[in-house]
Amino acid sequence: MIKTRLCTLLGITHPIVQGGMAWVATAELVAAVSDAGGLGILGGGNAPPDYVRAQIREVKRWTDKPFGVNIPLFSPYVDDVVQICIEERVKVVATGAGNPAPVMPPLKEAGITVIPVVSSVALAKRVERMGADAIVAEGMESGGHIGDVATMPLIPQVVDAVNVPVIAAGGFADGRGLAAALALGAVGIQMGTRFICTTECIVHPNYKQKIVEAGDRATITTGHSLGHPVRAIKNPMTRKFQEMEREAEINEEELIKLGTGKLRLAVEEGDMVNGSIMAGQISGLIHDVIPTRELIERIVSEAEAVLNQMPSYIIHQE
Ligand code: TUI
């Protein structure tokens, strides 16, 4: 067993959090992760409030363990989803893709544990002052919408800048990664891409297969010209996006049109040509699709083995 401050804060068994991926992290995956002793987080995405409420109730039907809801701050339904989380007595809310200042007061007042996802030291400090209970620091190795600092330099800098527990994200998929995150001063890891390749995750089998087949250089980032870089597996859709971004006159409207709805297309239809297959650089390390419980147990026992090995590297000299 590996116990950290995160386990105490959230009432979970293992210091492993599942990223709240839009369209991907549905009740099935969230319940499986929480039931196995991690923290599952529902991907609110920009789904309508009624759908989010129904998903919360589904998770509660499957497990009585703690779970969270992710609220991306670009969602048009942010305020409604905040209200639903309060009404449904959700224990944990994670925010992403923006500054959580507007949602912090109502969530904190309701006694909800708030864990913003940040990609810089500056925002980590700001959210701590706002009352964040913990912080996910996400490196640019992650899939989806990302910042511009890599995990290895980001984690220790955030750990040094704040007092609240820091969860490391971006590039984690196994026990070696968990051990490394603890060495950097984090209290646990958040994984997204690795949890896509589980039997409980509802994404189209084509999506899982793309990740399993991916190598270390399989992903690319697009959207820099729009100020919203997104990492996804290279395919005809990302190539088209790249070509349009390289043009002298960038047509922002056309780019936005090209990107909109494409994650859902990949997740639901399995369209690997026109869809956006958001995934992290760690895709190259993922070789199988296995049950969530088995995955979590494998990661924890591997991390234990790695940590037990560490003292043997220290040679004590007289
Ligand atoms: O949110 C994510 N990753 C995401 S959201 C998403 S949905 C999407 N769908 C289609 C196109 C684009 C996105 C896919 N992946 N991760 C959490 C995260 N948040 N990473 C970085 C940030 C972040 C960035 C800037 C958090 C705060 C922030 O603040 C800027 C500010 O306002 O100060």
Side-chain angles (χ1 to χ4, degrees), residues 259-278:
T260 305
K262 295 303 161 64
L263 173 60
R264 191 176 183 182
L265 193 63
V267 168
E268 291 185 352
E269 314 284 322
D271 187 336
M272 299 293 104
V273 174
N274 306 301
S276 174
I277 316 160
M278 294 186 193

Side-chain angles (χ1 to χ4, degrees), residues 22 74 96-99 117-119 123 126 138 143-147 230 263 278:
F74 57 70
N99 186 335
V117 180
V118 305
S119 49
L123 192 58
R126 287 220 301 275
E138 187 189 271
H145 173 66
I146 51 171
V230 168
L263 173 60
M278 294 186 193

Side-chain angles (χ1 to χ4, degrees), residues 145-269:
H145 173 66
I146 51 171
D148 48 16
V149 184
T151 300
M152 185 68 100
L154 180 66
I155 303 306
Q157 292 185 75
V158 172
V159 165
D160 285 352
V162 298
N163 292 309
V164 292
V166 176
I167 301 155
F172 297 99
D174 68 4
R176 291 172 295 182
L178 173 53
L182 298 178
L184 293 174
V187 295
I189 52 172
Q190 174 179 286
M191 303 190 297
T193 310
R194 178 61 265 201
F195 278 119
I196 297 178
C197 292
T198 57
T199 44
E200 291 88 351
C201 182
I202 54 80
V203 307
H204 194 283
N206 292 352
Y207 202 123
K208 297 181 186 180
Q209 190 59 25
K210 275 281 175 199
I211 295 172
V212 167
E213 286 169 2
D216 57 341
R217 303 184 63 232
T219 70
I220 191 169
T221 59
T222 56
H224 293 272
S225 64
L226 298 172
H228 298 292
V230 168
R231 182 180 302 283
I233 292 182
K234 290 175 195 164
N235 69 347
M237 141 79 182
T238 62
R239 271 190 283 282
K240 173 93 182 111
F241 211 106
Q242 240 189 335
E243 276 166 27
M244 282 170 63
E245 282 196 296
R246 282 204 195 108
E247 280 166 18
E249 292 255 328
I250 292 173
N251 186 337
E252 281 203 13
E253 221 169 285
E254 280 296 310
L255 272 181
I256 291 168
K257 215 161 95 190
L258 184 64
T260 305
K262 295 303 161 64
L263 173 60
R264 191 176 183 182
L265 193 63
V267 168
E268 291 185 352
E269 314 284 322

